[in-house]
Amino acid sequence: MGRELRAGDCVAIVGAGDIDTMARAWLATVESEDWDRHAERLSAVVSTQTRVKREESLARKTTIGLGGAARLYVEPANSADLQALVKTAKTRGVPVIMLGRGSNLVVPDDGVNALVISLRQPAWETFEARADGRVWVGAGLRLKNLCGLAAKVGLVGFEFLEGIPGNVGGALRMNAGAMGGWMFDVVEEVAVMTLDGEVRTLNKADMHVDYRHCAELHDAIALGALLKPASQSEAASIAKQIEAYKEKRQKTQPREPSAGCIFKNPTGDSAGRLIDASGLKGERVGDAEVSAVHANFIVNRGNATASDVIELVRRVRARVEAAQGVKLEPEVLLYGKHWKDVL
Ligand SMILES: Cc1cc2nc3c(=O)[nH]c(=O)nc-3n(C[C@H](O)[C@H](O)[C@H](O)COP(=O)(O)OP(=O)(O)OC[C@H]3O[C@@H](n4cnc5c(N)ncnc54)[C@H](O)[C@@H]3O)c2cc1C
């Protein structure tokens, strides 16, 4: 990242007015040039199908629709390019952070000082039903498509994924769950790439997975997973179950842009119930609002910023703690940062 400001470097701007402002502007320019150079190096090691972008807006790549840009953003076309990217980033000390469908994230307004990698190209969207009944899915496959394709070939057990707007990679990292099912209920193996570019297969039994968390994917990239259906059935009856889940969601969740449930449910209770009981439905900071439909959703009423959401999270937490004696912990991730640094 950016070079350190050295005394000698400052001479030209000292005495020219507001030193702090000038020094900051100088640093920003130096950092920007550094990111330009990183972009050039990364572009040089990948195929032409992989495009490296500078200052790519992430707001449009998240479901809540807010936040700043990625200093560097790449959609690798294949595994060799991904490997070249992470190896080069490691050598140059550039942090790497994965982006799924952006449905569990709040991107800070000043963006992300990292190389953001998204597996959106077709090579990552595989759905391969095997003869033994198991199915291989790529990390970039949307859960909606996984659910639909599995139903088509008569595989039972993936219906709970209907309506979770992420992809397989994000669902593995978050151990996404709904309607009594969890992502890792159906996982047998996960293929990962380490940040050294090494590809490994991890068995579920060796992985550390709990509520909205998979430890092995903190510092590794999920490439895909081998999934095991619960059973097989007629496509029509699976589709019926999917439809029932869809209806349930439509009745209980807001339609406005959001990042899903903002807080984790505390053991034995529901964050939504606690927020509602604290009289916070409709509470608003700027265009960020606690949904009147489901109190554990913060929705974007149009032009919300990440700062609005952070301030609302702070307010909700304080009020719930005062009224109910429970400290809620965010489930949604503050992309590239830690909540503890801003709350
Ligand atoms: C309307 C709505 C409803 C929702 N309902 C549910 C629900 O019922 N249950 C539930 O669990 N969640 C729900 N969510 C939250 C969200 O959809 C899930 O957490 C989902 O699994 C996130 O997937 P994603 O692809 O969007 O990941 P992102 O939000 O893009 O990323 C989440 C995390 O995964 C990491 N990541 C992404 N891809 C990879 C990869 N290939 N390798 C390693 N790490 C990776 C990211 O770096 C980040 O840390 C909902 C969200 C919305 C907006």
Side-chain angles (χ1 to χ4, degrees):
M1 289 214 280
R3 283 199 299 273
E4 273 183 36
L5 188 59
R6 292 181 293 263
D9 291 325
C10 280
V11 171
I13 55 172
V14 167
D18 178 347
I19 296 170
D20 262 9
T21 310
M22 304 271 308
R24 267 200 302 276
W26 181 85
L27 261 181
T29 310
V30 170
E31 283 179 1
S32 170
E33 284 167 3
D34 281 351
W35 286 109
D36 287 345
R37 271 194 290 277
H38 289 315
E40 279 164 26
R41 285 190 195 103
L42 292 175
S43 299
V45 298
V46 293
S47 67
T48 49
Q49 286 77 39
T50 292
R51 273 184 304 148
V52 178
K53 296 185 188 171
R54 280 274 285 121
E55 294 302 320
E56 177 75 352
S57 165
L58 295 179
R60 284 177 289 115
K61 299 183 192 324
T62 65
T63 52
I64 194 167
L66 51 79
R71 301 291 88 81
L72 283 172
Y73 173 83
V74 184
E75 292 175 4
N78 53 50
S79 195
D81 281 4
L82 178 61
Q83 197 168 39
L85 287 168
V86 295
K87 281 184 169 180
T88 308
K90 175 118 194 206
T91 315
R92 296 286 166 183
V94 177
V96 170
I97 177 163
M98 294 304 293
L99 179 69
R101 304 297 301 190
S103 64
N104 204 52
L105 306 174
V106 170
V107 176
D109 293 321
D110 58 354
V112 188
N113 291 329
L115 163 62
V116 170
I117 300 181
S118 170
L119 304 181
R120 276 183 185 235
Q121 295 226 34
W124 308 103
E125 292 173 354
T126 325
F127 176 93
E128 182 192 306
R130 297 193 172 166
D132 63 5
R134 294 185 296 175
V135 49
W136 170 262
V137 289
L141 182 68
R142 293 179 73 170
L143 298 174
K144 185 181 179 49
N145 294 343
L146 162 55
C147 194
L149 290 165
K152 243 188 205 167
V153 293
L155 302 179
V156 178
F158 306 109
E159 305 83 275
F160 70 96
L161 296 171
E162 165 59 38
I164 304 182
N167 67 18
V168 167
L172 290 166
R173 164 67 180 79
M174 299 308 298
N175 188 20
M179 316 290 168
W182 299 85
M183 187 63 189
F184 270 83
D185 289 349
V186 295
V187 168
E188 286 212 331
E189 291 173 3
V190 180
V192 300
M193 185 180 286
T194 67
L195 297 181
D196 295 314
E198 193 189 324
V199 175
R200 290 187 195 152
T201 301
L202 306 176
N203 285 313
K204 176 169 114 175
D206 301 324
M207 300 183 76
H208 301 83
V209 176
D210 51 35
Y211 182 57
R212 303 289 184 261
H213 185 242
C214 169
E216 282 69 21
L217 293 179
H218 263 242
D219 298 312
I221 299 168
L223 304 175
L226 188 61
L227 309 181
K228 190 168 189 260
S231 58
Q232 302 214 354
S233 181
E234 295 291 309
S237 77
I238 304 173
K240 209 168 149 192
Q241 181 62 71
I242 292 174
E243 212 39 51
Y245 286 156
K246 198 188 270 180
E247 268 178 39
K248 190 170 175 194
R249 263 184 201 275
Q250 279 167 355
K251 282 192 192 132
T252 56
Q253 291 185 359
R255 302 206 164 187
E256 296 92 344
S258 77
C261 287
I262 202 95
F263 295 104
K264 292 180 184 170
N265 287 323
T267 313
D269 210 335
S270 128
R273 190 199 71 75
L274 291 163
I275 299 167
D276 195 3
S278 308
L280 284 156
K281 271 189 173 171
E283 187 75 17
R284 195 160 171 160
V285 176
D287 264 358
E289 185 181 280
V290 175
S291 167
V293 177
H294 188 319
N296 200 18
F297 280 63
I298 287 181
V299 295
N300 180 355
R301 303 282 289 177
N303 293 308
T305 62
S307 307
D308 294 339
V309 174
I310 292 167
E311 181 51 35
L312 191 52
V313 164
R314 204 178 279 137
R315 195 180 290 177
V316 169
R317 271 186 110 210
R319 292 260 291 272
V320 169
E321 190 174 16
Q324 318 286 331
V326 178
K327 196 163 213 166
L328 295 174
E329 294 304 329
E331 169 177 330
V332 164
L333 305 172
L334 186 61
Y335 202 47
K337 292 197 173 157
H338 297 287
W339 281 107
K340 66 175 166 47
D341 298 334
V342 298
L343 291 182

